[in-house]
């Protein structure tokens, strides 16, 4: 049942992404290979899976990029980092590493890999070394979305249907919000308190996408990352799932990161 639902929703998102890529003249040119960095590794956040990148993937691939979406186990920071490191190891050259939400913590830890030449944070955590994701967010207050997290007896967390529909994916059409709800994965609650041992953004160029209408992570936290990371920043009027609400703009930031990192 779950496999069928996931396959159906993934096909739906991929279809939407393909259609979007075909109707955006000037953004997509399948005949021109990318200059410089050609490998993009995408890392999803908590309460989600790789299908959260399904609209961005066809846009990047149409531009000639090789794209890999990591499937995080969401069981611990170390295991998610290991999954990301395995994906990086499979690339045949320099990599742009992109993280959404919790995925920002993962790329901050995994991004010290020598293949990684740039980091892109999409409505994401970007903790300091010695800091956890929760510690990075707490000074900016509790969001309405975070209030909708429920933790079971095994310490795995999910979001309520209300939370997904109204606070996590509220900028999407209802049919897409329901698909996000259907593919929601549970996440190990304690991983948000695991402290990072390194912060790759201190040595790698970074780009930040701020979701101004984010109700899951504090937009103020995302904006503060601009100065702290010395990042190139783009502010979008999107919900937490910026890459599904405005995939062309998010893809454009990733392309900019690939082009600028190649020029350094």
């Amino acid at each position: 049942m779950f496999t069928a639902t996931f396959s159906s929703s993934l096909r739906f998102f991929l279809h939407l992404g393909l259609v979007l890529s075909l109707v955006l003249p000037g953004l997509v040119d399948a005949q021109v290979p990318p200059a410089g960095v050609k490998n993009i590794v995408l890392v999803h956040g908590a309460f989600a899976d790789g299908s959260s990148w399904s609209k961005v993937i066809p846009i990047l691939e149409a531009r000639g990029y090789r794209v890999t979406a990591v499937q995080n186990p969401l069981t611990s920071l170390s295991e998610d980092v290991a999954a990301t490191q395995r994906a990086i190891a499979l690339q045949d050259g320099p990599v742009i590493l992109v993280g959404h939400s919790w995925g920002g913590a993962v790329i901050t830890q995994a991004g010290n890999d020598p293949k990684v030449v740039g980091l892109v944070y999409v409505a994401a955590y970007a903790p300091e070394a010695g800091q956890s994701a929760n510690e990075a967010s707490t000074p900016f207050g509790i969001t309405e979305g975070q209030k909708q997290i429920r933790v079971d007896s095994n310490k795995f967390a999910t979001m309520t249907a209300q939370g997904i529909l109204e606070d996590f994916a509220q900028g999407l059409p209802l049919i897409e919000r329901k698909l996000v709800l259907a593919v929601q994965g549970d996440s190990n609650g304690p991983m948000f308190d695991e402290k990072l041992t390194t912060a790759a953004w201190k040595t790698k160029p970074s780009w930040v996408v701020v979701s101004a209408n984010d109700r899951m992570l504090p937009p103020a936290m995302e904006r503060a990352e601009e100065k702290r990371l010395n990042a190139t920043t783009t502010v979008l009027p999107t919900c937490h799932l910026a890459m599904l609400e405005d995939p062309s703009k998010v893809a454009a930031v990733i392309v900019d990161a690939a082009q600028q990192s190649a020029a350094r």
Side-chain angles (χ1 to χ4, degrees):
M1 181 77 176
F2 177 84
T3 302
T5 302
F6 171 78
S7 298
S8 175
S9 63
L10 183 56
R11 286 196 300 272
F12 175 82
F13 277 138
L14 286 171
H15 174 71
L16 284 178
L18 181 58
V19 170
L20 183 64
S21 69
L22 293 175
V23 298
L24 287 173
L27 176 65
V28 175
D29 186 351
Q31 304 306 313
V32 181
V37 182
K38 66 178 182 178
N39 299 302
I40 312 293
V41 174
L42 307 170
V43 183
H44 67 81
F47 317 115
D49 62 14
S51 67
S52 60
W53 297 108
S54 57
K55 290 184 183 179
V56 169
I57 291 170
I59 298 174
L60 294 174
E61 289 184 337
R63 290 289 297 265
Y65 291 96
R66 178 187 179 188
V67 186
T68 301
V70 177
Q71 293 288 4
N72 286 328
L74 299 175
T75 47
S76 70
L77 174 63
S78 61
E79 290 175 352
D80 285 0
V81 168
T84 299
Q85 289 172 329
R86 289 193 296 271
I88 295 169
L90 294 174
Q91 308 308 308
D92 61 358
V95 172
I96 297 297
L97 192 55
V98 186
H100 172 247
S101 193
W102 161 254
V106 177
I107 71 170
T108 299
Q109 181 76 18
N112 275 342
D113 188 292
K115 282 187 177 180
V116 176
V117 296
L119 304 166
V120 180
Y121 292 84
V122 181
Y125 295 102
E128 292 272 3
Q131 188 179 48
S132 69
N134 275 342
E135 288 171 335
S137 175
T138 298
F140 299 92
I142 304 298
T143 64
E144 292 303 310
Q146 289 167 356
K147 293 176 184 177
Q148 295 298 319
I149 296 173
R150 303 291 182 266
V151 181
D152 67 16
S153 59
N154 293 315
K155 298 184 179 181
F156 276 85
T158 54
M159 290 193 69
T160 66
Q162 176 185 336
I164 293 288
L165 299 177
E166 298 181 7
D167 302 308
F168 193 79
Q170 79 275 10
L172 305 179
L174 181 58
I175 188 171
E176 294 184 35
R177 283 183 273 161
K178 289 183 176 179
L179 286 171
V180 172
L181 175 62
V183 302
Q184 175 188 188
D186 55 4
S187 305
N188 184 253
M191 72 184 187
F192 293 95
D193 289 319
E194 291 185 57
K195 296 182 187 296
L196 280 69
T197 59
T198 187
W201 50 260
K202 291 186 174 181
T203 58
K204 305 291 175 77
S206 299
W207 285 255
V208 169
V209 174
V210 175
S211 287
N213 298 326
D214 203 331
R215 292 172 59 87
M216 190 66 201
L217 293 186
M221 180 193 75
E222 299 167 24
R223 289 177 183 271
E225 292 168 358
E226 178 177 10
K227 288 186 177 180
R228 189 162 56 82
L229 277 62
N230 191 28
T232 301
T233 301
T234 300
V235 180
L236 300 178
T238 51
C239 68
H240 187 55
L241 296 173
M243 62 283 199
L244 288 175
E245 187 173 354
D246 199 343
S248 62
K249 295 283 181 60
V250 172
V253 172
I254 296 170
V255 169
D256 181 60
Q259 293 176 341
Q260 296 298 323
S261 295
R264 291 174 185 260

